[in-house]
Amino acid sequence: WNGSGTMTINGTVIANNTASGAGADQGGGGIYNLSGTVDINADTVITGNHADGAAGSGGGILNDVNGTITIDDAVITLNTAIRAGGGIEDNGGANGSITLNNVEITLNNGGTAPGNGGGIHITGMGNVTVTGGLVSGNTAVQGGGLWNGTGTMSVNHVHVTANTATGFGVNDGGGGIYNNGGTLNVNSSTLSVNLATGLLGRGGGLHLNGGTTTMITSTISGNTSLTNGGGIFNNGALTLNANTISLNGATISGGGISNEGSSTVSLKNTLVAGNTAIISGRDLFGEAGSMTSAGFNLVAVIDSEVYLGTESDIMGDITLPIEITLNALTTPEGSDIPVHSLSCPSPAADMGDPADTMADQNGWAVFNGTRDIGAYEAQENCTTANTGDFTVSSSVVFPNPSNGIFTLNLAQNHNVGANISIYEIATGKLIKEVKADAMTMELQMNGYADGTYVMQIVSDNASETHKLVVSK
């Protein structure tokens, strides 16, 4: 128990303690911080503690008004609370904070009354930052892993996996993360195989109930919901940039993303493919026009008017889906968090926004000059197999779109004899291959069906990729 002072905990096991205060601001079975500073350092284990009062919160830790807690390289496991925050409850308010670095938060239970935040729960205007580590196997009615109120929660390079939200109501769910009107930032993280198991619970990976959520270079994979939003259920303002959303499933609608009413979703550089829904919207579901493109996305199946795409997007539909293969969710060498790498060649390779040069989810730099669509950046030339490592040039193709006759002006770092290969964007099938006979030449595509194709130019010194749009 810490009042307004400073408490430092090093290499300590805090196990099987109970706090029985009845109020929502009481609890902290393992540690209670009233308004001071607590530093918890390496090799500390907080396990098996309970907040068993009528509204007891924070089975492992309770941070109260204006308190500050920093936790490094610790384990918080098997703690329980009646009200909320099985592992950690933050009631510190706008002037308090909790910072976690490389912490394992596992197998905690956030209770049933109301039962929010199996791993971490923020009451009101709290501030929690989680960097690195693991959030796994936690259970609650809402937010099996993490629950944010009207404060700010930042999740950076964290694996949030196998958490469960059991709530039966339409506002329940969020197996991995639940945002209840606050600001949620998810960066370079993976949410995988989280579950919303309640009859009407929504959002296997995330349930966004109002507020503002920004997700960058992150993976949403293998999450499931009994109703809507296998990967994400959104009822707020959601901005996505350079994410991979795949293999999620919903029993009703929106296997990848389900958007509610007039809520907004903006996608950029994001790959949405391979999701399933029994009723409708295997990849995307919502009101017409409620999801908008900021460009350079790949959506394998659009089966309604929910998504307003742009010319830079790669889009399929039920009759002609984009065929893209992702490798199984694995942790690459040199990283500590699993991702879906591209199976080369890939229609997502080098098709992101050239202006976006941030690193991918693993921290790897953009390869070949233009980023791949999705959270993963291939560190090899992935537009065709075995083309080697090249730099990007800047040839010009015009008019584009065209009736099928294009003019190609090769950049100076190419040469006569450069190989020009054209692929169907939906299947990756090579349909045309020629050698450049001049630095300016004509490409004949008027015998091919209307649609979008990928052209790759490869010479001794450079490689580049262009999208060709045939529209007769």
Side-chain angles (χ1 to χ4, degrees), residues 260-285:
E260 182 79 0
S262 61
S263 302
T264 59
V265 179
S266 173
L267 296 91
K268 185 179 186 184
N269 295 314
T270 291
L271 189 158
V272 188
N275 303 286
T276 59
I278 293 176
I279 305 299
S280 59
R282 65 183 75 176
D283 284 326
L284 303 176
F285 175 80

mmCIF file of all heavy atoms in Angstrom, residues 260-285:
data_model
loop_
_atom_site.group_PDB
_atom_site.id
_atom_site.type_symbol
_atom_site.label_atom_id
_atom_site.label_comp_id
_atom_site.label_asym_id
_atom_site.label_seq_id
_atom_site.Cartn_x
_atom_site.Cartn_y
_atom_site.Cartn_z
ATOM 1 N N GLU A 260 -20.831 0.396 -37.778
ATOM 2 C CA GLU A 260 -22.190 0.652 -37.314
ATOM 3 C C GLU A 260 -22.682 2.035 -37.752
ATOM 4 O O GLU A 260 -22.035 3.051 -37.485
ATOM 5 C CB GLU A 260 -22.244 0.553 -35.785
ATOM 6 C CG GLU A 260 -23.595 0.749 -35.171
ATOM 7 C CD GLU A 260 -24.480 -0.493 -35.263
ATOM 8 O OE1 GLU A 260 -24.009 -1.511 -35.829
ATOM 9 O OE2 GLU A 260 -25.605 -0.454 -34.770
ATOM 10 N N GLY A 261 -23.851 2.085 -38.394
ATOM 11 C CA GLY A 261 -24.541 3.332 -38.698
ATOM 12 C C GLY A 261 -23.688 4.345 -39.421
ATOM 13 O O GLY A 261 -23.044 4.036 -40.429
ATOM 14 N N SER A 262 -23.651 5.569 -38.893
ATOM 15 C CA SER A 262 -22.927 6.662 -39.539
ATOM 16 C C SER A 262 -21.493 6.796 -39.053
ATOM 17 O O SER A 262 -20.826 7.777 -39.367
ATOM 18 C CB SER A 262 -23.672 7.987 -39.296
ATOM 19 O OG SER A 262 -23.747 8.252 -37.897
ATOM 20 N N SER A 263 -21.006 5.841 -38.275
ATOM 21 C CA SER A 263 -19.610 5.861 -37.846
ATOM 22 C C SER A 263 -18.697 5.812 -39.067
ATOM 23 O O SER A 263 -19.091 5.360 -40.144
ATOM 24 C CB SER A 263 -19.321 4.669 -36.931
ATOM 25 O OG SER A 263 -20.172 4.677 -35.817
ATOM 26 N N THR A 264 -17.459 6.260 -38.904
ATOM 27 C CA THR A 264 -16.568 6.408 -40.051
ATOM 28 C C THR A 264 -15.339 5.515 -39.921
ATOM 29 O O THR A 264 -14.773 5.362 -38.844
ATOM 30 C CB THR A 264 -16.110 7.867 -40.217
ATOM 31 O OG1 THR A 264 -15.422 8.284 -39.020
ATOM 32 C CG2 THR A 264 -17.309 8.769 -40.450
ATOM 33 N N VAL A 265 -14.952 4.946 -41.061
ATOM 34 C CA VAL A 265 -13.710 4.183 -41.157
ATOM 35 C C VAL A 265 -12.932 4.711 -42.356
ATOM 36 O O VAL A 265 -13.473 4.798 -43.457
ATOM 37 C CB VAL A 265 -13.964 2.677 -41.335
ATOM 38 C CG1 VAL A 265 -12.640 1.926 -41.455
ATOM 39 C CG2 VAL A 265 -14.785 2.121 -40.183
ATOM 40 N N SER A 266 -11.673 5.062 -42.143
ATOM 41 C CA SER A 266 -10.794 5.493 -43.230
ATOM 42 C C SER A 266 -9.651 4.497 -43.349
ATOM 43 O O SER A 266 -8.989 4.186 -42.355
ATOM 44 C CB SER A 266 -10.247 6.892 -42.958
ATOM 45 O OG SER A 266 -9.268 7.250 -43.922
ATOM 46 N N LEU A 267 -9.425 3.998 -44.570
ATOM 47 C CA LEU A 267 -8.381 3.005 -44.804
ATOM 48 C C LEU A 267 -7.335 3.552 -45.756
ATOM 49 O O LEU A 267 -7.662 4.207 -46.747
ATOM 50 C CB LEU A 267 -8.963 1.725 -45.396
ATOM 51 C CG LEU A 267 -9.938 0.903 -44.566
ATOM 52 C CD1 LEU A 267 -11.364 1.349 -44.830
ATOM 53 C CD2 LEU A 267 -9.798 -0.578 -44.869
ATOM 54 N N LYS A 268 -6.074 3.237 -45.454
ATOM 55 C CA LYS A 268 -4.970 3.581 -46.341
ATOM 56 C C LYS A 268 -3.901 2.501 -46.228
ATOM 57 O O LYS A 268 -3.618 2.002 -45.126
ATOM 58 C CB LYS A 268 -4.380 4.949 -45.970
ATOM 59 C CG LYS A 268 -3.296 5.436 -46.934
ATOM 60 C CD LYS A 268 -2.783 6.808 -46.521
ATOM 61 C CE LYS A 268 -1.801 7.346 -47.562
ATOM 62 N NZ LYS A 268 -1.204 8.643 -47.154
ATOM 63 N N ASN A 269 -3.314 2.125 -47.349
ATOM 64 C CA ASN A 269 -2.215 1.139 -47.371
ATOM 65 C C ASN A 269 -2.580 -0.151 -46.639
ATOM 66 O O ASN A 269 -1.712 -0.862 -46.144
ATOM 67 C CB ASN A 269 -0.952 1.717 -46.710
ATOM 68 C CG ASN A 269 -0.356 2.881 -47.453
ATOM 69 O OD1 ASN A 269 -0.201 2.846 -48.671
ATOM 70 N ND2 ASN A 269 -0.028 3.945 -46.734
ATOM 71 N N THR A 270 -3.856 -0.470 -46.569
ATOM 72 C CA THR A 270 -4.322 -1.571 -45.724
ATOM 73 C C THR A 270 -4.819 -2.740 -46.557
ATOM 74 O O THR A 270 -5.514 -2.557 -47.557
ATOM 75 C CB THR A 270 -5.410 -1.067 -44.761
ATOM 76 O OG1 THR A 270 -4.799 -0.190 -43.806
ATOM 77 C CG2 THR A 270 -6.093 -2.204 -44.034
ATOM 78 N N LEU A 271 -4.464 -3.943 -46.129
ATOM 79 C CA LEU A 271 -4.827 -5.175 -46.806
ATOM 80 C C LEU A 271 -5.943 -5.859 -46.012
ATOM 81 O O LEU A 271 -5.772 -6.159 -44.827
ATOM 82 C CB LEU A 271 -3.602 -6.078 -46.913
ATOM 83 C CG LEU A 271 -3.680 -7.339 -47.771
ATOM 84 C CD1 LEU A 271 -2.270 -7.765 -48.181
ATOM 85 C CD2 LEU A 271 -4.358 -8.494 -47.040
ATOM 86 N N VAL A 272 -7.097 -6.080 -46.667
ATOM 87 C CA VAL A 272 -8.231 -6.761 -46.042
ATOM 88 C C VAL A 272 -8.594 -7.933 -46.940
ATOM 89 O O VAL A 272 -9.124 -7.745 -48.033
ATOM 90 C CB VAL A 272 -9.436 -5.816 -45.864
ATOM 91 C CG1 VAL A 272 -10.523 -6.496 -45.037
ATOM 92 C CG2 VAL A 272 -9.021 -4.508 -45.204
ATOM 93 N N ALA A 273 -8.296 -9.139 -46.504
ATOM 94 C CA ALA A 273 -8.501 -10.303 -47.375
ATOM 95 C C ALA A 273 -8.592 -11.575 -46.545
ATOM 96 O O ALA A 273 -8.007 -11.677 -45.465
ATOM 97 C CB ALA A 273 -7.350 -10.428 -48.374
ATOM 98 N N GLY A 274 -9.356 -12.546 -47.066
ATOM 99 C CA GLY A 274 -9.410 -13.865 -46.453
ATOM 100 C C GLY A 274 -10.250 -13.939 -45.206
ATOM 101 O O GLY A 274 -10.153 -14.903 -44.435
ATOM 102 N N ASN A 275 -11.119 -12.936 -44.969
ATOM 103 C CA ASN A 275 -12.025 -12.966 -43.831
ATOM 104 C C ASN A 275 -13.339 -13.646 -44.236
ATOM 105 O O ASN A 275 -13.653 -13.756 -45.416
ATOM 106 C CB ASN A 275 -12.283 -11.542 -43.342
ATOM 107 C CG ASN A 275 -10.996 -10.824 -42.987
ATOM 108 O OD1 ASN A 275 -10.389 -11.099 -41.970
ATOM 109 N ND2 ASN A 275 -10.559 -9.909 -43.849
ATOM 110 N N THR A 276 -14.128 -14.077 -43.268
ATOM 111 C CA THR A 276 -15.361 -14.795 -43.566
ATOM 112 C C THR A 276 -16.520 -14.249 -42.739
ATOM 113 O O THR A 276 -16.341 -13.811 -41.601
ATOM 114 C CB THR A 276 -15.234 -16.300 -43.281
ATOM 115 O OG1 THR A 276 -14.900 -16.488 -41.901
ATOM 116 C CG2 THR A 276 -14.163 -16.930 -44.148
ATOM 117 N N ALA A 277 -17.717 -14.279 -43.329
ATOM 118 C CA ALA A 277 -18.958 -13.971 -42.630
ATOM 119 C C ALA A 277 -20.052 -14.813 -43.255
ATOM 120 O O ALA A 277 -20.125 -14.934 -44.485
ATOM 121 C CB ALA A 277 -19.298 -12.485 -42.740
ATOM 122 N N ILE A 278 -20.900 -15.404 -42.432
ATOM 123 C CA ILE A 278 -21.906 -16.325 -42.952
ATOM 124 C C ILE A 278 -23.002 -15.587 -43.704
ATOM 125 O O ILE A 278 -23.480 -16.044 -44.744
ATOM 126 C CB ILE A 278 -22.493 -17.167 -41.804
ATOM 127 C CG1 ILE A 278 -21.401 -18.095 -41.249
ATOM 128 C CG2 ILE A 278 -23.694 -17.990 -42.270
ATOM 129 C CD1 ILE A 278 -21.823 -18.898 -40.056
ATOM 130 N N ILE A 279 -23.412 -14.413 -43.224
ATOM 131 C CA ILE A 279 -24.529 -13.700 -43.845
ATOM 132 C C ILE A 279 -24.053 -12.725 -44.917
ATOM 133 O O ILE A 279 -24.419 -12.841 -46.079
ATOM 134 C CB ILE A 279 -25.367 -12.960 -42.786
ATOM 135 C CG1 ILE A 279 -25.822 -13.935 -41.698
ATOM 136 C CG2 ILE A 279 -26.575 -12.284 -43.444
ATOM 137 C CD1 ILE A 279 -26.701 -15.063 -42.195
ATOM 138 N N SER A 280 -23.230 -11.746 -44.556
ATOM 139 C CA SER A 280 -22.809 -10.743 -45.541
ATOM 140 C C SER A 280 -21.541 -10.040 -45.081
ATOM 141 O O SER A 280 -21.229 -9.992 -43.895
ATOM 142 C CB SER A 280 -23.918 -9.695 -45.753
ATOM 143 O OG SER A 280 -24.228 -9.053 -44.533
ATOM 144 N N GLY A 281 -20.829 -9.482 -46.071
ATOM 145 C CA GLY A 281 -19.653 -8.682 -45.781
ATOM 146 C C GLY A 281 -18.486 -9.475 -45.249
ATOM 147 O O GLY A 281 -18.015 -9.253 -44.138
ATOM 148 N N ARG A 282 -17.986 -10.394 -46.064
ATOM 149 C CA ARG A 282 -16.890 -11.225 -45.572
ATOM 150 C C ARG A 282 -15.671 -10.386 -45.186
ATOM 151 O O ARG A 282 -15.000 -10.685 -44.199
ATOM 152 C CB ARG A 282 -16.524 -12.290 -46.599
ATOM 153 C CG ARG A 282 -15.966 -11.760 -47.905
ATOM 154 C CD ARG A 282 -15.696 -12.876 -48.897
ATOM 155 N NE ARG A 282 -16.937 -13.380 -49.479
ATOM 156 C CZ ARG A 282 -16.975 -14.302 -50.435
ATOM 157 N NH1 ARG A 282 -15.852 -14.833 -50.879
ATOM 158 N NH2 ARG A 282 -18.124 -14.696 -50.935
ATOM 159 N N ASP A 283 -15.363 -9.353 -45.964
ATOM 160 C CA ASP A 283 -14.247 -8.470 -45.605
ATOM 161 C C ASP A 283 -14.730 -7.190 -44.933
ATOM 162 O O ASP A 283 -14.204 -6.795 -43.894
ATOM 163 C CB ASP A 283 -13.409 -8.140 -46.844
ATOM 164 C CG ASP A 283 -12.509 -9.298 -47.260
ATOM 165 O OD1 ASP A 283 -12.027 -10.019 -46.370
ATOM 166 O OD2 ASP A 283 -12.314 -9.489 -48.466
ATOM 167 N N LEU A 284 -15.729 -6.519 -45.531
ATOM 168 C CA LEU A 284 -16.222 -5.244 -45.015
ATOM 169 C C LEU A 284 -17.735 -5.246 -44.983
ATOM 170 O O LEU A 284 -18.390 -5.721 -45.911
ATOM 171 C CB LEU A 284 -15.745 -4.085 -45.900
ATOM 172 C CG LEU A 284 -14.233 -3.927 -46.107
ATOM 173 C CD1 LEU A 284 -13.957 -2.803 -47.091
ATOM 174 C CD2 LEU A 284 -13.523 -3.671 -44.784
ATOM 175 N N PHE A 285 -18.318 -4.656 -43.921
ATOM 176 C CA PHE A 285 -19.775 -4.571 -43.814
ATOM 177 C C PHE A 285 -20.150 -3.260 -43.138
ATOM 178 O O PHE A 285 -19.500 -2.822 -42.182
ATOM 179 C CB PHE A 285 -20.322 -5.733 -42.986
ATOM 180 C CG PHE A 285 -21.801 -5.648 -42.741
ATOM 181 C CD1 PHE A 285 -22.701 -6.040 -43.727
ATOM 182 C CD2 PHE A 285 -22.290 -5.160 -41.545
ATOM 183 C CE1 PHE A 285 -24.066 -5.949 -43.506
ATOM 184 C CE2 PHE A 285 -23.650 -5.083 -41.306
ATOM 185 C CZ PHE A 285 -24.542 -5.468 -42.291
#
